[in-house]
């Protein structure tokens, strides 16, 4: 945890952004795998973690805007519990760690909320994303679980986004720390990328490194020779020389802060000429994204410029044709990169996505595009100092998508479909880094960047 004064200041800032009422921030509950006592590894809700810092299940935070008070609620451990768990701090002792001087049990919380609702006081809450939380909120608020979405507080969502998206120095330090674990994960994958090694062996090793760093992986690692499948979570392959291995993986530290990098590696340590040509285009697009990202610039415009680099490079190879800028504007280049350039990152690897991307990645000044590819961009609005975003361009040769577009004569003015036939077994390449937006531009998060230049990768893998 951070010091209590940090959480106290955060809650005070949140109160100042809400006009009146109660702010209800439930933490997560244990989630059972296949019977009640066999639970998944616990992960606290990130909003609760941000404002209260406690990583124990079963807590609910209540911030009273009108009375300028905070209270934490949870049921203390029973003797039957302590027989199995050993000594545990009380709810009041844990509350003090978060800078909260008032604590109670869940029955008292229910009575407090019932009294407030009867008096017509507004209870602000954000969308629940777990079934256990939906059940808890339904019981506390007297709202059917399926109707909870109708009463979500947009004011609270906007207030939380405005705070969490600007990373404070103590948060940046956490992101710097966890980036080192991410670096170890990716450099280890490079040393293991040899013919005959299974994808699963690498994925398991990445989990081990993340756990050794004090946390876990920040999402389920992608370790696949089928990089054309954007979120390929199958580890059934065995590495073969001449193929590409896409590794999209990150770590989460004990405080919940995340890293997220992607590297695409030549199995055996050497790129073929064909692979290098495509790789260098993606590398250039990654560099363009980092060059352009700065305060006041919309990330939507940065995405478009990175796509232009991709279209220009593919045009030089004869895979696209016509004017690259027109191809990007028409959406033709999305055949090769049907996802966005990046997303915000922090306590969640897709930071605050549970609050709704339209609030996190967009605002009144920047609307989400309906266009294929560009519409998948999770972060489009203007960048500010303190934003942490990923830069992750890619080029993918997705057989089903290519065949569909060719069959339906989609963007034939910009795509050289006959030449693409030789790339249907190519796979995909993605290169991802994490950057912090500064007052004048941006910088990489972390002192150690996983090798990215093709020569650098080959040297590292064959030393």
């Amino acid at each position: 945890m951070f010091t209590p004064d940090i959480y106290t200041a955060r809650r005070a800032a949140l109160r100042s952004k809400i006009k009146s009422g109660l702010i209800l921030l439930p933490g997560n509950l244990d989630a059972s795998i296949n019977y009640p006592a066999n639970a998944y590894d616990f992960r606290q809700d990130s909003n609760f973690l941000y404002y209260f810092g406690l990583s124990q299940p079963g807590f609910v935070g209540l911030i009273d805007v009108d009375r300028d008070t905070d209270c934490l609620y949870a049921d203390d451990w029973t003797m039957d519990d302590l027989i199995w768990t050993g000594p545990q701090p009380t709810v009041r002792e844990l509350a003090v760690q978060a800078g909260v001087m008032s604590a109670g049990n869940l029955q008292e919380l229910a009575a407090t909320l019932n009294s407030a609702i009867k008096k017509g006081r507004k209870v602000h809450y954000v969308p629940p994303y777990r079934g256990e939380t939906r059940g808890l909120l339904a019981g506390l608020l007297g709202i059917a679980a399926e109707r909870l979405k109708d009463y979500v507080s947009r004011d609270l969502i906007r207030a939380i986004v405005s705070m969490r998206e600007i990373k404070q120095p103590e948060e940046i330090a956490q992101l710097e720390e966890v980036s080192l674990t991410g670096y170890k994960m990716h450099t280890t994958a490079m040393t293991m990328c040899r013919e005959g090694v299974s994808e699963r062996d690498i994925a398991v090793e990445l989990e081990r490194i993340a756990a050794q760093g004090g946390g876990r992986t920040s999402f389920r690692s992608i370790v696949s020779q089928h990089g054309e499948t954007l979120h390929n979570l199958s580890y059934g392959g065995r590495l073969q020389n001449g193929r590409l291995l896409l590794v999209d993986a990150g770590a989460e530290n004990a405080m919940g802060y995340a890293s997220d990098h992607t590297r695409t590696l030549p199995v055996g340590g050497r790129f073929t000429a064909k692979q290098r040509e495509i790789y260098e285009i993606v590398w250039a697009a990654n560099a363009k994204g980092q060059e352009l990202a700065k305060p006041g610039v919309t990330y939507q415009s940065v995405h478009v410029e990175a796509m232009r680099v991709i279209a220009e490079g593919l045009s030089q190879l004869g895979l696209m044709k016509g004017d690259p800028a027109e191809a990007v504007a028409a959406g033709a280049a999305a055949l090769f990169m049907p996802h966005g350039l990046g997303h915000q990152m922090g306590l969640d690897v897709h930071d605050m996505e549970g609050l709704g991307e339209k609030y996190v990645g967009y605002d009144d000044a920047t609307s989400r595009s309906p266009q294929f590819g560009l519409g998948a961009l999770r972060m489009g609005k203007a960048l500010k100092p303190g934003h942490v975003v990923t830069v992750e361009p890619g080029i993918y040769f997705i057989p089903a998508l290519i065949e569909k577009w060719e069959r339906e004569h989609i963007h034939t003015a910009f795509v050289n479909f006959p030449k693409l036939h030789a790339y249907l077994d190519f796979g995909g390449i993605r290169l991802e880094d994490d950057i912090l937006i500064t007052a004048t531009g941006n910088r990489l998060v972390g002192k150690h960047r996983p090798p990215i230049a093709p020569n650098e990768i080959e040297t590292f893998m064959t030393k």
Side-chain angles (χ1 to χ4, degrees), residues 122 125-129 134 137-138 141 143-154 157 358-359:
K122 171 74 173 177
Y125 63 91
V126 298
Y129 54 89
R134 279 193 290 271
L137 285 177
L141 300 175
I143 301 172
E146 63 271 16
R147 295 293 308 279
L148 285 168
K149 63 182 184 297
D150 299 330
Y151 300 96
V152 161
S153 172
R154 272 67 180 174
I157 290 173
K358 67 179 181 179
Y359 301 108

Side-chain angles (χ1 to χ4, degrees), residues 397-412:
F397 297 90
I398 306 170
L401 186 60
I402 292 170
E403 291 164 4
K404 172 182 169 60
W405 280 30
E406 183 174 22
R407 182 174 64 251
E408 298 179 9
H409 306 289
I410 298 173
H411 292 309
T412 54

Side-chain angles (χ1 to χ4, degrees), residues 271-313:
F271 290 102
T272 67
K274 188 176 182 180
Q275 290 169 349
R276 183 181 277 260
E277 287 177 337
I278 302 298
Y279 188 100
E280 289 184 344
I281 298 171
V282 180
W283 183 32
N286 176 285
K288 176 60 71 173
Q290 294 188 44
E291 173 193 335
L292 297 177
K294 60 184 179 181
V297 173
T298 68
Y299 211 50
Q300 195 173 68
S301 70
V302 179
H303 170 101
V304 169
E305 291 303 315
M307 291 298 298
R308 186 173 299 183
V309 171
I310 288 172
E312 289 171 351

Side-chain angles (χ1 to χ4, degrees), residues 150-218:
D150 299 330
Y151 300 96
V152 161
S153 172
R154 272 67 180 174
D155 290 339
L156 180 57
I157 290 173
R158 292 187 180 95
I160 291 174
V161 170
S162 72
M163 292 183 63
R164 283 187 56 191
E165 72 177 356
I166 305 302
K167 303 304 182 288
Q168 300 303 314
E170 65 272 11
E171 296 183 279
I172 294 169
Q174 293 295 316
L175 292 166
E176 298 277 357
E177 172 192 290
V178 75
S179 73
L180 179 59
T181 304
Y183 173 83
K184 291 177 182 177
M185 292 167 69
H186 279 274
T187 51
T188 297
M190 291 177 186
T191 63
M192 293 181 68
C193 187
R194 299 286 185 270
E195 185 169 41
V197 175
S198 75
E199 295 168 347
R200 185 171 301 279
D201 284 345
I202 297 176
V204 168
E205 184 63 15
L206 299 183
E207 289 186 6
R208 186 195 68 79
I209 294 170
Q212 192 176 49
R216 70 195 89 203
T217 57
S218 51

